[in-house]
Amino acid sequence: AFAPAPDQEVLATFENGDAAIVRRKLGKGWVVSLGTAFWRDSQDRTGVWWAGERETNFLADLLAGLGFGPPSCSTNDRLVWAQPYRSNHGLNQVACVVNWHEDQPTTFELTMRTPVRPSRLVGTSVEGVKELPFEWKGGVLRSTLTMGPQEVLIVEAEVYSPADAVAHWWKRQQHY
């Protein structure tokens, strides 16, 4: 039986009473530990660890329950992944979008949460750079995109002012 340390909070237990999800404070954040029974639907595909739909839904519910807001970028297709970044010069919010569909082009909706309406949205792929259509309302950008099978697209939303970019850079320098 697993006995959590005194500084750990048990968030959920297995049927036998053992701790299944444990949380503890670390610095300004939290460390959340999950028991291995949560990963029964996962698999290694093409060298990438893929969580099953049950795990993906479980993690989304867990993070929401812990007070995390919605992701800064996402798609409505489980096989199209969006990873958020900020550009090196600090002016753009960036999403690296990967289409894992193996045999067909895919149309999906990309959602990005931005502080202001972007002046433009640009996509860069092996085919070059092109302006992308989008709608923005209440801090949420939505763009319907089509990507070829196993294609990668870098999407950049111009949203930060030069003053904000300098402030972001300076804050990052303080960590070094």
Side-chain angles (χ1 to χ4, degrees):
F2 171 73
D7 66 338
Q8 296 177 327
E9 175 187 4
V10 176
L11 300 176
T13 59
F14 290 111
E15 289 176 1
N16 68 0
D18 285 348
I21 304 172
V22 178
R23 172 174 76 171
R24 75 176 178 90
K25 187 89 169 127
L26 181 64
K28 296 179 181 179
W30 297 91
V31 174
V32 178
S33 301
L34 306 175
T36 60
F38 296 105
W39 308 111
R40 292 186 179 141
D41 194 26
S42 299
Q43 58 182 296
D44 181 346
R45 290 177 37 196
T46 62
V48 176
W49 194 249
W50 290 66
E53 189 170 354
R54 288 184 308 178
E55 284 85 359
T56 302
N57 293 340
F58 166 76
L59 287 173
D61 289 346
L62 174 66
L63 292 171
L66 291 173
F68 286 86
S72 60
C73 67
S74 61
T75 75
N76 63 347
D77 186 319
R78 283 187 34 76
L79 293 179
V80 180
W81 298 356
Q83 178 68 41
Y85 297 94
R86 186 158 177 176
S87 61
N88 284 341
H89 57 54
L91 296 172
N92 299 340
Q93 190 169 322
V94 180
C96 178
V97 183
V98 180
N99 178 11
W100 288 100
H101 289 274
E102 295 180 8
D103 56 355
Q104 63 193 24
T106 306
T107 299
F108 61 94
E109 183 178 80
L110 172 68
T111 301
M112 296 174 74
R113 298 186 187 303
T114 63
V116 297
R117 184 185 195 288
S119 56
R120 66 186 196 143
L121 189 67
V122 177
T124 304
S125 70
V126 294
E127 297 172 358
V129 179
K130 66 178 180 179
E131 296 272 336
L132 301 174
F134 71 93
E135 295 177 357
W136 186 85
K137 182 178 180 183
V140 179
L141 174 151
R142 296 185 192 285
S143 181
T144 300
L145 304 172
T146 300
M147 292 174 62
Q150 298 188 331
E151 185 179 354
V152 175
L153 179 67
I154 305 300
V155 177
E156 296 182 75
E158 297 180 355
V159 294
Y160 299 109
S161 69
D164 183 73
V166 170
H168 174 75
W169 171 84
W170 182 249
K171 183 177 179 183
R172 299 274 305 155
Q173 296 307 308
Q174 305 307 306
H175 288 93
Y176 300 113

